[in-house]
Amino acid sequence: MQLSRFNVVKTEGETTWVYNTRSTAFVKIDTHTWNTVLTAPDPEVQTILQAEGILTDDVEAEWLTYKYQYYSNALRSRRLFVSIAPTMRCNFACAYCFEGTNKVFPTMNEEVEAALVKFLILNSKNGVTINWFGGEPLLAWERILSICRQLEERNVEFRSSIVTNGSLLTPDK
């Protein structure tokens, strides 16, 4: 039996806390018991700690299992989430904004829009979620509509949300 490489251990006097970042198990154990878990093991404690992933009989297999799970999840085909800023311009001058008074950026041009739509289509196997962002994205309302129309024309399943100051909202928008 060996300690998992995914353990985070914190000892405070007679109490030891063990958190396993892989299994998410969190165990409070007597410090003496923890210090002897490998040298003078209590079979009942060892069984519990092994079931929680804190002890392992094969650290290499544990590592390979972690890598498999990590890469399977990271490379699994799933819904695409994107934030799109069709413009960084803004019609307000909010003191907290990271752009400050420098809000004269251009709206997304047709070349960027075409490349963006192509990217979304190519990566939309499981749908797309778009968060419209900016500056004030509603200043580029026609660009937003154009992108949405193109996705609809190509039967791309998508949904979207928008971060806006709301000043340009109308019943049509």
Side-chain angles (χ1 to χ4, degrees), residues 126-152:
N126 293 313
V128 178
T129 297
I130 301 169
N131 180 37
W132 298 104
F133 183 74
E136 173 49 57
L138 291 176
L139 287 170
W141 178 245
E142 292 304 318
R143 189 67 64 193
I144 292 171
L145 285 179
S146 175
I147 292 168
C148 291
R149 283 185 194 119
Q150 291 179 68
L151 295 176
E152 287 172 349

Side-chain angles (χ1 to χ4, degrees), residues 152-167:
E152 287 172 349
E153 289 168 2
R154 289 166 180 84
N155 296 315
V156 172
E157 187 274 312
F158 73 97
R159 58 182 170 235
S160 63
S161 61
I162 190 165
V163 177
T164 176
N165 62 34
S167 66

Side-chain angles (χ1 to χ4, degrees), residues 72-83 119-132 151 155-161:
S72 293
N73 190 41
L75 301 174
R76 169 178 73 197
S77 179
R78 54 184 157 180
R79 185 171 198 86
L80 176 66
F81 290 84
V82 294
S83 289
F119 171 83
L120 294 173
I121 292 168
L122 289 173
N123 293 282
S124 65
K125 178 180 177 185
N126 293 313
V128 178
T129 297
I130 301 169
N131 180 37
W132 298 104
L151 295 176
N155 296 315
V156 172
E157 187 274 312
F158 73 97
R159 58 182 170 235
S160 63
S161 61

Side-chain angles (χ1 to χ4, degrees), residues 4-15:
S4 169
R5 69 173 53 192
F6 298 97
N7 291 339
V8 177
V9 181
K10 174 71 173 165
T11 299
E12 291 185 6
E14 298 300 315
T15 304

